[in-house]
Amino acid sequence: MLTRAGLRGLGDSSSPRGSTVLELLFDIVYVFALARLAGRVADDLTIVRQSLLSEAGQTLLFFAAMWMIWSLNALMSSTFDPRRTDIQILLLATMFGTLVLAVSLPQAFGQRGAIFACTYVLVQVGRPLYLTLALRGHPMQGVSSRVLSWHAVSGVLWIAGAISGGLGRGVFWTLALAIEVGGAATNWPVPGVGGDRRSTWAKVSYVHLADRYNQFFMIALAEVVLEAGAAISFPGFSTERTITLVAAFVAVVSFWRIYFYHLGPGRASTGSLAAEGLQLSWWASFSLLLIVGGIICTAVGFGQVIEDPNPPIDWALVVIIFGGPVLFLIGRTYLERPSETGPRCRVLMVGALVLAVAAPPMVFLPPVAATVSAGLILAGIAIYDGLSHRSGPETNPAL
């Protein structure tokens, strides 16, 4: 039986205020994808240390590519009704594509490069292609056409990279991703194709989009718990591992507290719903990229110390342990749009500076000292941020 939403045209549909169950399922698939990315980061720190920079560059490329898929799908489901059958089919197809990409990640620069590239292109070209066809005659068709044009160009480079292999693969794929990121940052301009930035974002439900951001943040946060819990399960408890586990838990609570209770510029209170209180900026997608990337780095850093808490600590591991929270704090600072009445709150940026200053001496201390220091500094930032804003009686906003 058709719903009222299904009887309307795609262009006339609108997104509900809250996320749907299928969107939650879509995000859950990314739990596996994030775990694979975290595994690559851990390998970069241990197995392939002789080529750390090149391996880290590959991991960063994969992370940004997976992020482009998620962010564009979140934008689609926040613009059109995700309860429509055709949008649900798009989400399910993208879910399966994401699963294939995650499985291909370990060998994407090897034997599975063609599978990774072809799947990625099908996902990134197929979505705007369908929207362009389904929105014929609607003002939003121009937006989908522009997105399709940019991804068609980048798709050629993705396929070329899969064919070339070796160094050429990295060059082609980096150029392809740079085109996609540049298109998203500039609103996918195409000469002769109508639609300005205002028309692109006019139909977006920012409450729905913020709800998706909050939901994905919580899923990413679970990665710290998974990494720490899995790392301590096999060797068991020891004094150093237990202390690091406690520090990881403190970091998780601090991330949660800062993300949901830090008041953005010009905002007096969190609101009854976290999604209603969050005032997303134009660059919110890139900010959440930093937030999630920081959480993954933190998860890997704490997990590595739990697995091997014996000194000495490596400089790269120190960078991961302290760099993760720094990325998170920078991303959270710029997640919300600036206020017209006052400057941004500087608490989080000052906290990032404290973490950066505290990191270098940790090279000379035991690994456990690094995790404890990072956890305590994060806790101090969360407490000070809460005391500075005093957001009122609301202490646990609903998603």
Side-chain angles (χ1 to χ4, degrees), residues 19-33:
S19 300
T20 62
V21 175
L22 182 58
E23 290 174 288
L24 175 60
L25 180 61
F26 181 91
D27 290 347
I28 288 176
V29 172
Y30 267 79
V31 172
F32 176 60

Side-chain angles (χ1 to χ4, degrees), residues 120-149:
Y120 185 84
V121 171
L122 283 174
V123 169
Q124 292 293 69
V125 173
R127 178 184 55 255
L129 176 60
Y130 171 77
L131 294 177
T132 299
L133 296 174
L135 291 169
R136 281 194 302 267
H138 192 276
M140 288 294 293
Q141 184 185 28
V143 178
S144 299
S145 299
R146 299 203 310 271
V147 175
L148 175 61
S149 299

Side-chain angles (χ1 to χ4, degrees), residues 22-341:
L22 182 58
E23 290 174 288
L24 175 60
L25 180 61
F26 181 91
D27 290 347
I28 288 176
V29 172
Y30 267 79
V31 172
F32 176 60
L34 291 177
R36 302 297 279 188
L37 287 167
R40 279 195 62 96
V41 175
D43 290 344
D44 295 345
L45 291 172
T46 54
I47 300 175
V48 287
R49 289 308 313 279
Q50 69 276 6
S51 56
L52 175 62
L53 293 179
S54 62
E55 292 293 330
Q58 292 176 12
T59 303
L60 180 60
L61 185 146
F62 292 140
F63 177 52
M66 300 292 283
W67 181 251
M68 288 298 299
I69 293 177
W70 186 91
S71 61
L72 289 176
N73 274 274
L75 184 62
M76 177 188 70
S77 62
S78 299
T79 304
F80 309 108
D81 193 346
R83 297 167 296 186
R84 289 178 54 93
T85 302
D86 51 354
I87 298 298
Q88 290 180 356
I89 292 175
L90 284 177
L91 289 173
L92 288 170
T94 304
M95 284 169 53
F96 181 74
T98 301
L99 183 61
V100 173
L101 291 173
V103 172
S104 304
L105 273 179
Q107 293 295 325
F109 270 88
Q111 298 176 349
R112 299 176 185 171
I115 297 175
F116 183 91
C118 291
T119 303
Y120 185 84
V121 171
L122 283 174
V123 169
Q124 292 293 69
V125 173
R127 178 184 55 255
L129 176 60
Y130 171 77
L131 294 177
T132 299
L133 296 174
L135 291 169
R136 281 194 302 267
H138 192 276
M140 288 294 293
Q141 184 185 28
V143 178
S144 299
S145 299
R146 299 203 310 271
V147 175
L148 175 61
S149 299
W150 278 74
H151 283 281
V153 172
S154 68
V156 174
L157 296 176
W158 281 104
I159 300 301
I163 295 174
S164 64
L167 178 62
R169 177 172 296 177
V171 172
F172 279 120
W173 284 4
T174 301
L175 290 174
L177 188 60
I179 290 174
E180 295 181 12
V181 173
T186 58
N187 198 33
W188 305 282
V190 175
V193 180
D196 55 10
R197 187 181 185 92
R198 184 175 300 176
S199 65
T200 303
W201 300 93
K203 277 180 56 62
V204 177
S205 170
Y206 287 98
V207 173
H208 183 95
L209 187 59
D211 192 52
R212 290 297 306 279
Y213 279 27
N214 295 343
Q215 184 172 279
F216 194 77
F217 165 77
M218 293 300 293
I219 288 176
L221 197 60
E223 188 63 30
V224 182
V225 178
L226 291 174
E227 284 288 324
I232 202 172
S233 295
F234 178 71
F237 291 96
S238 67
T239 302
E240 292 84 358
R241 293 190 177 98
T242 302
I243 292 174
T244 303
L245 181 65
V246 172
F249 181 77
V250 170
V252 168
V253 174
S254 300
F255 282 148
W256 159 75
R257 180 76 194 186
I258 293 170
Y259 180 89
F260 283 108
Y261 296 94
H262 175 72
L263 293 182
R267 186 150 60 87
S269 63
T270 304
S272 58
L273 293 177
E276 292 178 350
L278 200 61
Q279 306 296 319
L280 298 178
S281 68
W282 291 115
W283 303 97
S285 178
F286 297 101
S287 295
L288 194 58
L289 175 67
L290 294 179
I291 289 173
V292 174
I295 291 174
I296 291 177
C297 289
T298 303
V300 172
F302 280 74
Q304 288 290 301
V305 173
I306 290 176
E307 289 182 359
D308 184 13
N310 300 314
I313 190 172
D314 187 80
W315 66 266
L317 186 55
V318 172
V319 171
I320 290 292
I321 292 173
F322 284 85
V326 169
L327 289 176
F328 169 83
L329 294 173
I330 295 174
R332 183 59 185 88
T333 298
Y334 291 96
L335 182 65
E336 299 187 67
R337 59 175 178 259
S339 172
E340 298 178 357
T341 59

